[in-house]
Amino acid sequence: MDRPLVSVVIPAYNRPGTLKIALESVLSQSYPAIEVIICDDSSNDDVKEMVQPYLKKHPFITYVKNEQNLFLKNWHKCFDLAKGEYINYLMDDDVLHRDKIKKMIYFFESFEGISLVTSFRQTINEAGDPIAPLTATKRLFKESRIMDGRIFGDMALTQCLNIVGEPTTVLFRKSDLDEPFGVYKGKQYSLLNDLASWLGLLSKGKVAYLTDALSYFRIHPSQNNQTLGEKTFSQWLDLIIASREGGFLKADEDFQKALLRYRERVQHRPAFKDDLKRIADTLNQMRS
């Protein structure tokens, strides 16, 4: 029986060493129908040189070197080149468990209304050794489950934490993503580009959460979210407000909880004084 094609798309940037490990984790997948799309945004040819032996050996790998740095548009380019029915982004410093795709595809094929499948992700250090989870990456439940997507989205927004997962963590159907990756309600997000897209998907149906560690999230000083700058954290407030317009946080209590949780995280940081005023104005409007 033909299996649906899954596109593993990798927006690469100047990390040939960890990219090699990430790529090997794709090649070892137990699921048979996979293509790999690597869009290289690097400032040098190190990644290009590293992938050449793989391109000669594996015809299902597509490699493209960008003539100029595309940054977030590189994510869109990966998506556009993908031919698969399903998409799994893979960060070039993360790793997939060998059964990730197989276990996640099972939920799409076995249950109706699934718009997103995610799982517990194991945090690892630069050397690839397991480390203690971050607050956002802790295992959410004792048993795998399927639940309403909007409820799951509300859980993330009210905690001001991306409990859904980083780009590597999630598998989704390509046709279900209505806006370019990282765009929500017409706004492109950078720090929260993953959660922005997850909200769009969660609004469409159910989420399957698996308790197995099906991906490995590498923590290191040069990862993307460490280099975007402090002020990009304001995107949380933008996303909270936009998500209410998108059908999340319908209950005033939940919306207030999300706003207050964000305020708690930034209230002692001078760079966010405009956000604090925006929250105060929003809360006053709700009370009036």
Side-chain angles (χ1 to χ4, degrees):
M1 184 178 86
D2 290 338
R3 305 306 306 278
L5 181 65
V6 175
S7 298
V8 178
V9 296
I10 307 175
Y13 182 72
N14 286 353
R15 288 193 279 252
T18 55
L19 173 59
K20 182 179 177 67
I21 297 170
L23 185 54
E24 289 286 353
S25 76
V26 182
L27 298 178
S28 67
Q29 286 297 296
S30 57
Y31 185 79
I34 291 177
E35 69 164 0
V36 181
I37 308 292
I38 304 171
C39 291
D40 185 7
D41 224 21
S42 298
S43 58
N44 55 50
D45 289 333
D46 291 351
V47 166
K48 181 179 180 180
E49 293 173 2
M50 187 278 293
V51 301
Q52 293 310 308
Y54 291 97
L55 299 178
K56 294 176 182 178
K57 188 176 180 180
H58 303 287
F60 56 85
I61 300 177
T62 297
Y63 169 81
V64 179
K65 179 74 165 72
N66 298 331
E67 294 183 2
Q68 60 183 18
N69 186 272
L70 298 180
F71 189 40
L72 291 170
K73 289 183 178 179
N74 193 38
W75 295 64
H76 306 165
K77 185 174 183 177
C78 287
F79 184 91
D80 291 341
L81 290 173
K83 299 180 179 68
E85 181 178 349
Y86 296 92
I87 299 284
N88 199 129
Y89 274 89
L90 173 58
M91 301 305 294
D92 61 4
D93 48 357
D94 290 342
V95 185
L96 304 182
H97 185 282
R98 73 178 306 274
D99 292 326
K100 181 187 195 293
I101 303 299
K102 181 178 74 173
K103 288 188 174 184
M104 289 191 168
I105 281 288
Y106 167 80
F107 280 83
F108 281 107
E109 295 184 326
S110 303
F111 301 93
E112 293 185 0
I114 302 291
S115 61
L116 182 155
V117 180
T118 188
S119 75
F120 171 68
R121 66 274 199 200
Q122 174 66 57
T123 45
I124 57 176
N125 61 19
E126 288 184 84
D129 299 320
I131 57 176
L134 307 174
T135 304
T137 66
K138 292 179 179 178
R139 187 176 275 106
L140 298 177
F141 310 108
K142 293 182 179 180
E143 297 179 347
S144 299
R145 63 181 61 189
I146 295 172
M147 60 189 296
D148 181 85
R150 291 189 189 277
I151 293 175
F152 199 63
D154 284 357
M155 287 174 59
L157 292 163
T158 54
Q159 296 178 68
C160 202
L161 292 172
N162 182 7
I163 60 172
V164 186
E166 294 69 40
T168 299
T169 321
V170 169
L171 181 71
F172 62 94
R173 190 178 291 105
K174 185 179 184 183
S175 60
D176 282 342
L177 197 66
D178 295 331
E179 297 182 276
F181 194 84
V183 176
Y184 184 68
K185 299 297 178 184
K187 175 182 172 63
Q188 173 73 66
Y189 291 81
S190 54
L191 177 68
L192 298 176
N193 66 335
D194 45 15
L195 186 57
S197 285
W198 305 158
L199 289 177
L201 294 167
L202 291 170
S203 68
K204 290 192 163 194
K206 301 174 184 176
V207 57
Y209 176 87
L210 312 184
T211 56
D212 295 339
L214 297 180
S215 59
Y216 303 88
F217 174 39
R218 195 183 304 271
I219 306 295
H220 57 93
S222 61
Q223 66 193 132
N224 294 346
N225 62 357
Q226 301 292 337
T227 59
L228 289 172
E230 180 185 37
K231 198 63 177 73
T232 56
F233 195 74
S234 286
Q235 291 180 10
W236 266 108
L237 182 56
D238 296 335
L239 201 56
I240 288 168
I241 292 173
S243 71
R244 181 155 160 105
E245 299 170 2
F248 294 91
L249 303 174
K250 286 185 177 181
D252 287 350
E253 180 182 359
D254 288 337
F255 186 47
Q256 291 174 10
K257 184 177 179 180
L259 292 172
L260 294 175
R261 177 59 180 141
Y262 176 78
R263 186 179 70 180
E264 180 183 331
R265 296 189 68 177
V266 303
Q267 62 184 345
H268 299 302
R269 296 155 69 177
F272 296 93
K273 62 180 182 180
D274 291 341
D275 287 358
L276 296 176
K277 183 180 185 305
R278 189 178 174 193
I279 292 170
D281 290 344
T282 303
L283 292 172
N284 286 335
Q285 289 174 7
M286 293 180 68
R287 298 185 187 110
S288 61

